[in-house]
Amino acid sequence: MAYIFDSNPSPAASLGSFRSARISRRTCHLFLSDPNDAAIARTIVALAQNLGLSVIAEGVETDAQCAFLASAGCYAYQGYFFSRPLALNAFEAFVLQP
């Protein structure tokens, strides 16, 4: 399944117990080229917003992906577009730079 809510796929009836929704790396790589994946990503954001959940997109690597996600209402991202994985001291320096 490409669309994972929290870390455990669950029946739709239990979605209200989650705190966040994730848009998977796979989906982030496909939604710019596949209209169905774009619709699914927008639907995940809308569903999460209607349930009061936060949404994070994983595997974001391009400005175009960020722009699409922002237009869909998703403003939390992680991925190589921002930085490769960092050790703690390197991360602290990264977030403190002006």
Side-chain angles (χ1 to χ4, degrees), residues 3 5 21-23 27 39-49 55:
Y3 317 104
F5 288 89
R22 297 186 314 179
I23 299 175
T27 303
I40 291 171
R42 284 190 297 273
T43 301
I44 290 170
V45 173
L47 176 62
Q49 290 172 340
V55 184

Side-chain angles (χ1 to χ4, degrees), residues 5-20 47 51 53:
F5 288 89
D6 227 16
S7 57
N8 300 315
S10 297
S14 67
L15 289 178
S17 66
F18 292 115
R19 289 172 275 142
S20 64
L47 176 62
L51 293 172
L53 305 176

Side-chain angles (χ1 to χ4, degrees), residues 2-3 23-32 37 40-41 44:
Y3 317 104
I23 299 175
S24 73
R25 179 181 179 277
R26 178 189 171 277
T27 303
C28 282
H29 285 258
L30 294 175
F31 60 55
L32 295 177
D37 279 294
I40 291 171
I44 290 170

Side-chain angles (χ1 to χ4, degrees), residues 47-76:
L47 176 62
Q49 290 172 340
N50 284 324
L51 293 172
L53 305 176
S54 62
V55 184
I56 187 164
E58 299 177 337
V60 176
E61 296 181 359
T62 69
D63 188 49
Q65 290 170 329
C66 287
F68 171 87
L69 291 162
S71 74
C74 178
Y75 305 103

